[in-house]
């Protein structure tokens, strides 16, 4: 039989026991503890823990941006002891390794390497200098003056006129080269003047004088002004622009359609 039927058969005594054992509603608790606006819901009241005294322990849920529950471990003390032991062993190992002594040795080695490199550089420099001394330097031959050559030839009883003629010929050659260079430079400087004179000659071609050519040029420029105002290139430009462009004058209007 269902429990409700058995309770009914049991009668009033069972009903009294049920009243005593009935759990208090949250609304009734609220009325007892000050009513709405004063009562605060107890969220830990129905928490199932190993010990009931743990319910209201003050434990923050988040500490330093970390969830505290993630770090709750029954073996935390044993793990902490292992970590401390490992740290102590590491400290002992660092004491055995003498870092200062290693640094001192490295400084000595570095100094020794610097000395070796300095000797190598010095040796290279000595070899380079010795290499330049291995061959005999050929001195530049000094040119004799014309007078000295003539006197030597006269003393020897030889004709010195050919030597003088040769030196004069060399002087003429150098002068001709210099003149050529000067001419090329002057051509570059006077290029604009030459261009202007050639244009003037072209304008006055077939005309009696330069004055007539200048008058005709003035007339030509006045005529060109008219064409430029009309936006044409010259008298041969017969272009007639579109007076009524289709994209502006076709389509719907206020009165009706216009479609050419």
């Amino acid at each position: 039989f269902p429990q409700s039927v058995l309770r009914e058969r049991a009668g009033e005594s069972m009903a009294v026991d049920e009243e005593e054992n009935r759990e208090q509603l949250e609304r009734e608790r609220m009325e007892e503890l000050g009513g709405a606006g004063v009562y605060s819901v107890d969220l830990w009241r129905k928490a199932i823990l190993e010990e009931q005294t743990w319910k209201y322990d003050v434990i923050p849920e988040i500490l330093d941006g970390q969830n505290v529950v993630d770090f709750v471990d029954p073996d935390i003390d044993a793990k902490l002891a292992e970590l401390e032991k490992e740290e102590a062993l590491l400290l002992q190992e660092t004491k055995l390794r003498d870092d200062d002594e290693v640094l001192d040795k490295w400084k000595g080695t570095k100094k020794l390497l610097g000395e070796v490199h300095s000797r190598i550089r010095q040796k290279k420099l000595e070899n380079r200098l010795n290499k330049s001394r291995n061959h005999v330097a050929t001195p530049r031959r000094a040119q004799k003056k014309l007078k000295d050559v003539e006197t030597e030839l006269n003393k020897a009883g030889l004709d010195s006129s050919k030597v003088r003629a040769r030196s004069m010929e060399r002087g003429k050659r150098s002068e001709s080269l210099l003149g050529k260079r000067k001419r090329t430079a002057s051509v570059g400087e006077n290029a604009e003047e030459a261009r202007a004179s050639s244009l003037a000659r072209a304008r006055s071609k077939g005309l009696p004088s330069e004055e007539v050519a200048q008058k005709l040029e003035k007339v030509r420029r006045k005529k060109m002004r008219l064409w430029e105002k009309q936006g044409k290139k010259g008298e041969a430009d017969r272009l007639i622009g579109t007076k009524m462009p289709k994209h502006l004058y076709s389509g719907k209007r206020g009165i009706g359609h216009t479609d050419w």
Side-chain angles (χ1 to χ4, degrees):
F1 295 103
Q3 292 292 329
S4 58
V5 175
L6 294 172
R7 285 171 194 161
E8 263 184 63
R9 287 182 181 179
E12 291 182 0
S13 60
M14 190 68 182
V16 171
D17 292 339
E18 276 189 8
E19 280 290 331
E20 289 176 358
N21 295 328
R22 188 176 66 83
E23 188 178 356
Q24 193 177 16
L25 298 174
E26 198 68 30
R27 187 180 183 83
E28 293 170 358
R29 287 174 60 80
M30 183 179 71
E31 294 297 335
E32 282 181 9
L33 298 171
V38 179
Y39 174 69
S40 180
V41 180
D42 187 2
L43 300 173
W44 286 96
R45 188 167 61 87
K46 293 185 178 181
I48 301 169
L49 300 174
E50 289 183 9
E51 294 185 21
Q52 295 299 319
T53 55
W54 293 353
K55 282 184 181 180
Y56 302 104
D57 288 347
V58 181
I59 299 175
E61 293 181 4
I62 302 295
L63 181 67
D64 297 333
Q66 302 290 335
N67 193 352
V68 176
V69 179
D70 295 340
F71 296 93
V72 173
D73 191 351
D75 302 331
I76 195 164
D77 294 328
K79 289 178 180 177
L80 180 63
E82 285 180 9
L83 284 171
E84 288 176 351
K85 188 177 179 182
E86 187 178 355
E87 188 179 0
L89 289 170
L90 287 170
L91 287 170
Q92 287 178 6
E93 190 179 351
T94 52
K95 284 178 183 177
L96 289 170
R97 292 182 306 175
D98 195 351
D99 293 338
D100 295 333
E101 188 179 349
V102 172
L103 288 171
D104 291 338
K105 283 181 180 178
W106 167 242
K107 282 178 184 176
T109 310
K110 206 172 180 182
K111 190 177 178 182
L112 188 63
L113 282 170
E115 290 177 2
V116 171
H117 289 153
S118 173
R119 286 177 190 169
I120 290 168
R121 284 194 295 271
Q122 190 175 355
K123 196 70 178 172
K124 279 183 180 179
L125 185 62
E126 287 175 2
N127 289 337
R128 198 178 294 128
L129 292 170
N130 290 330
K131 192 175 181 182
S132 62
R133 289 182 199 146
N134 285 339
H135 65 277
V136 179
T138 53
R140 192 171 181 182
R141 189 172 60 183
Q143 291 181 353
K144 293 181 180 180
K145 291 181 180 179
L146 181 61
K147 289 179 182 179
D148 298 338
V149 174
E150 283 179 348
T151 51
E152 284 180 7
L153 288 171
N154 290 328
K155 283 179 184 178
L158 298 171
D159 187 12
S160 63
S161 60
K162 290 182 179 180
V163 176
R164 180 166 284 281
R166 189 161 175 264
S167 66
M168 292 292 287
E169 190 181 348
R170 277 190 175 182
K172 283 179 183 178
R173 270 190 214 162
S174 63
E175 283 175 7
S176 65
L177 284 170
L178 285 170
K180 189 177 180 182
R181 284 172 189 166
K182 284 178 183 176
R183 280 199 302 278
T184 53
S186 65
V187 165
E189 289 170 3
N190 300 326
E192 293 181 2
E193 294 175 8
R195 197 179 295 114
S197 64
S198 66
L199 286 170
R201 282 197 301 274
R203 279 199 300 269
S204 62
K205 198 172 183 181
L207 297 171
S209 64
E210 183 65 26
E211 292 177 1
V212 177
Q214 287 177 2
K215 283 180 183 178
L216 286 172
E217 181 65 21
K218 282 182 183 178
V219 173
R220 189 185 70 80
R221 286 182 182 176
K222 280 183 183 178
K223 291 279 186 186
M224 282 304 296
R225 266 185 226 148
L226 295 172
W227 294 114
E228 284 168 4
K229 279 182 182 177
Q230 294 174 12
K232 294 188 176 182
K233 296 176 185 176
E235 59 184 8
D237 192 353
R238 306 292 183 193
L239 179 68
I240 298 170
T242 310
K243 292 177 182 177
M244 294 179 73
K246 188 173 180 182
H247 72 282
L248 294 176
Y249 287 92
S250 66
K252 283 191 176 182
R253 300 211 194 150
I255 301 168
H257 297 280
T258 303
D259 195 5
W260 313 344

